[in-house]
Amino acid sequence: MKLVTFTPTVPAEARIGLLLGDGTVLDVAEAAAATRLSLPFDPRDMLSLIAAGPAGRQALNRLDRAVSGRIGLDQGKLLAPIPRPRKNVFCVGWNYLEHFEEGERIRASGQPLPERPVFFSKAVTAVIGPYDPIPYDPNVTTMLDWEAELAVVIGKAGKNIPEEHAMAHVFGYTVINDVSARDLQRAHGGQWHKGKSLDGTCPMGPAIVTADALDPNGLRVVTRVNGVIKQDSNTRHLYFKIPRLIAELSWGMTLEPGDVISTGTPAGVGFARTPPQFLQPGDLLETEIEGIGVLRNRVVA
């Protein structure tokens, strides 16, 4: 099941949709009204659906074949599946071996591979939709870089979650590009948060694919800039796998429905190239993960 948040042309308010195989979107609110189905969640709010748990999924299963409420993608606009998360997006650094190695010459020499996941976060105000522009302000940074990542959406709350139970807490998966201001990332005492949290630097979407519909362990991950492939890897190469990430992050800290964990980026980022490459106004950044979809974000001054 692929779930989206969209705004139809009329009325122009955010609502949940089911992305169907023919490319149309089933408006959950309209389909429920037409079939007189009482929903256990707010059909305008993806977080409400996720928090509803199995009851929410059962209601969606009853709507899957509804005819009323279907619209074409050209009749509305896709937003980020979770347009404004309740918390910062949790992120993981250095989670592909090749990406760690390509940055070695820039970091302090001799820094070992981490024994535990490296966590940081992106502010909720960084989140934008799958086709929204990425703002470029040279007064803030001229070193915007790309980082394609598989993101995990938590479906069931938990604290101190054992690895062997971690996947039961996953609602689904989406695509994120952890666009990073490399100069700011290093300008604040080695803390990455500022350089990772500029407005508009977390494109997300185009959909959440539910956990029962996707195996996250062998998905191709690709970044293209103006049609040129920059990153091309596979989630099978994650250094710390998803169960370990969930277990470590939840140790002493409660994960809640709708929390988003971005699992790290593979090799091919711009700052590690010779010479370094950064996004420029007019560039089209495409981020694709097999089985989920493609983000297409234009860099706009």
Side-chain angles (χ1 to χ4, degrees):
M1 186 175 288
K2 288 188 173 184
L3 298 164
V4 299
T5 296
F6 74 105
T7 53
T9 304
V10 179
E13 62 176 13
R15 50 184 61 199
I16 301 168
L18 284 174
L19 186 58
L20 305 176
D22 61 1
T24 61
V25 173
L26 180 67
D27 184 326
V28 169
E30 188 172 329
T35 56
R36 298 183 180 179
L37 175 65
S38 178
L39 296 172
F41 57 86
D42 182 348
R44 300 166 299 178
D45 183 5
M46 187 71 74
L47 290 172
S48 175
L49 165 60
I50 295 169
R57 287 297 309 278
Q58 290 167 9
L60 291 178
N61 288 336
R62 294 178 64 182
L63 292 176
D64 201 17
R65 298 183 180 180
V67 175
S68 288
R70 297 190 182 208
I71 67 168
L73 284 175
D74 58 346
Q75 296 176 270
K77 176 186 177 181
L78 287 187
L79 310 178
I82 303 175
R84 189 178 178 91
R86 290 196 181 99
K87 301 175 185 173
N88 285 0
V89 175
F90 298 113
C91 300
V92 183
W94 299 332
N95 205 25
Y96 286 77
L97 182 59
E98 293 84 357
H99 177 52
F100 181 86
E101 291 174 342
E102 73 177 349
E104 277 191 315
R105 64 181 176 81
I106 297 169
R107 296 190 305 272
S109 61
Q111 183 171 357
L113 279 165
E115 295 182 2
R116 305 178 78 164
V118 175
F119 293 116
F120 60 94
S121 73
K122 292 179 80 76
V124 296
T125 46
V127 174
I128 57 173
Y131 312 126
D132 288 343
I134 296 169
Y136 183 97
D137 183 350
N139 295 312
V140 176
T141 182
T142 57
M143 295 185 178
L144 284 180
D145 202 351
W146 53 83
E147 293 195 8
E149 307 200 7
L150 173 70
V152 178
V153 180
I154 296 296
K156 183 172 71 171
K159 179 179 177 180
N160 301 333
I161 301 168
E163 279 190 58
E164 60 269 26
H165 299 154
M167 298 307 287
H169 290 259
V170 175
F171 178 81
Y173 307 94
T174 191
V175 182
I176 275 178
N177 199 302
D178 174 22
V179 177
S180 304
R182 296 301 188 191
D183 46 356
L184 297 182
Q185 186 179 341
R186 297 179 179 85
H188 295 272
Q191 297 294 317
W192 297 352
H193 179 71
K194 175 65 177 179
K196 297 283 191 173
S197 291
L198 299 183
D199 290 355
T201 58
C202 189
M204 178 193 296
I208 295 173
V209 180
T210 52
D212 59 345
L214 188 70
D215 180 353
N217 296 307
L219 306 176
R220 188 183 181 198
V221 179
V222 177
T223 297
R224 293 181 293 271
V225 178
N226 301 326
V228 177
I229 292 177
K230 301 295 185 179
Q231 293 178 287
D232 192 350
S233 189
N234 194 290
T235 57
R236 72 170 65 95
H237 301 307
L238 283 170
Y239 187 64
F240 296 109
K241 307 302 183 185
I242 291 170
R244 174 76 182 278
L245 297 176
I246 292 172
E248 289 267 0
L249 190 57
S250 71
W251 189 249
M253 185 175 78
T254 302
L255 296 180
E256 298 177 303
D259 284 352
V260 179
I261 305 172
S262 200
T263 59
T265 198
V269 296
F271 83 91
R273 293 173 176 266
T274 305
Q277 299 175 9
F278 299 108
L279 294 168
Q280 302 297 321
D283 285 348
L284 177 63
L285 177 64
E286 294 180 291
T287 314
E288 182 171 7
I289 296 184
E290 179 183 3
I292 304 177
V294 186
L295 312 178
R296 293 185 177 89
N297 303 97
R298 183 77 63 181
V299 180
V300 176

